[in-house]
Amino acid sequence: MSRVAILPVRKPIVPSAVLGMVVFVVTEVMFFAGLISAFVIVRSRSIGPWPPPDQPRLPIEATALNTLVLTASGLAVYAAWRRFARGAEGARRGLMAGVALGAIFVSVQGAEWAALLREGMRLTTSAHASFFYLIVGAHALHVVAAMVVLVRAYVLLRADRIGEPTLRAATILWCFVVAVWPVLYLLVYLGAGA
Amino acid sequence: MRAWLVAILVTAVPAVARACPVCFDANEQNRAAFIVTTILLSTLPLAMVGVIVLWIRDSARGPEAGDRSTSGAPASDPLRSDRAREGRA
């Protein structure tokens, strides 16, 4: 008589997709922490006013509105995940709203950059300009990458081929790019802590 | 014995430690910036790892953690896709 080994099956304590995304977000938090630290130190060492008076003025008011747009997108995506986790309807609408608002945010940022470039503020113009483009550009890249993840999640959701952990991982990434932006806005645009 | 030897050698060759010319600055604002950013970069990863450990610990203590199934075939095939294994909540 043959014997069959029946192995006990354990469910993961936390889903692999979620844990992997959390670890990735932690590394990206340190990436932005390094950029912020370098910015703070260079700013503290600058001789004269910061930002330099001969630089184009940053669009503080427009970016404040843009910040609200990005925050709304984060809330929409979070709500979509919560609905999905409860089995309620409306998750697709929330995801699409989040992607649309994120696209608006990136578009407005791009328009702002184009205006600043026309006014003569380039990457090599000054330390202030260098850090502005580096930090804001890095965040924009993260937003675009997170949008790709959200779009993929939306496609899978439409085909009813997505699991809750996968959607949760996408939500974590989007909430990270949303949460880190106000910190960057306060430091780079408003000069908080100067 | 070797530890004592190393300790004696280390204490026998002291040198004057001078302030780092990069991170020390007569400017109070710059010194404060270095201190604040050093604290930030030192404590942030520790805090995040600590939160993750607490999260995993709390998840392990949950009612569904470590669910074991020994009746017959495995409850899930690890080779199945993510969606099939996890399903919709």
Side-chain angles (χ1 to χ4, degrees):
Chain A
M1 181 170 137
S2 62
R3 293 181 180 181
V4 178
I6 300 175
L7 302 174
V9 176
R10 290 182 74 103
K11 288 170 58 177
I13 295 174
V14 295
S16 301
V18 175
L19 182 60
M21 184 58 75
V22 167
V23 171
F24 174 71
V25 165
V26 165
T27 64
E28 295 307 292
V29 167
M30 292 313 299
F31 168 72
F32 279 104
L35 286 180
I36 289 171
S37 297
F39 172 76
V40 167
I41 289 173
V42 169
R43 186 177 66 181
S44 71
R45 279 187 159 181
S46 68
I47 300 171
W50 184 283
D54 57 340
Q55 293 290 292
R57 186 178 174 274
L58 295 179
I60 296 174
E61 296 82 8
T63 309
L65 289 175
N66 216 19
T67 302
L68 293 177
V69 169
L70 189 65
T71 305
S73 77
L75 293 172
V77 170
Y78 179 79
W81 166 64
R82 293 292 298 172
R83 284 199 195 99
F84 182 84
R86 287 196 311 262
E89 296 296 321
R92 280 191 295 174
R93 276 198 304 275
L95 267 189
M96 194 36 74
V99 172
L101 290 170
I104 291 173
F105 174 82
V106 174
S107 302
V108 171
Q109 288 285 92
E112 287 179 0
W113 275 33
L116 288 170
L117 286 169
R118 277 196 303 271
E119 292 177 20
M121 181 171 156
R122 290 180 165 74
L123 189 65
T124 55
T125 304
S126 64
H128 169 255
S130 298
F131 272 103
F132 171 80
Y133 285 118
L134 176 63
I135 292 176
V136 175
H139 179 263
L141 281 177
H142 280 77
V143 171
V144 171
M147 280 174 57
V148 171
V149 172
L150 277 188
V151 168
R152 175 181 175 271
Y154 175 79
V155 169
L156 290 175
L157 184 60
R158 275 199 68 170
D160 201 21
R161 291 173 51 210
I162 194 170
E164 187 274 336
T166 302
L167 185 58
R168 195 184 344 166
T171 303
I172 289 171
L173 180 61
W174 189 253
C175 289
F176 159 68
V177 298
V178 169
V180 82
W181 175 248
V183 177
L184 303 182
Y185 174 71
L186 284 172
L187 280 171
V188 178
Y189 282 81
L190 299 184
Chain B
M1 180 61 185
R2 262 189 295 186
W4 279 108
L5 205 57
V6 170
I8 290 170
L9 280 173
V10 167
T11 53
V13 287
V16 174
R18 303 192 186 277
C20 171
V22 175
C23 61
F24 179 81
D25 197 297
N27 185 321
E28 178 63 34
Q29 189 179 9
N30 195 33
R31 268 208 312 277
F34 268 111
I35 291 172
V36 168
T37 54
T38 299
I39 292 172
L40 172 72
L41 291 176
S42 300
T43 58
L44 193 56
L46 297 175
M48 287 191 293
V49 169
V51 167
I52 290 175
V53 168
L54 287 175
W55 168 53
I56 293 175
R57 186 197 67 172
D58 290 345
S59 299
R61 288 179 179 176
E64 296 180 356
D67 187 27
R68 293 178 183 267
S69 167
T70 56
S71 56
S76 65
D77 183 348
L79 294 180
R80 287 175 67 187
S81 65
D82 178 73
R83 61 178 174 88
R85 184 171 62 244
E86 293 157 358
R88 182 171 177 167

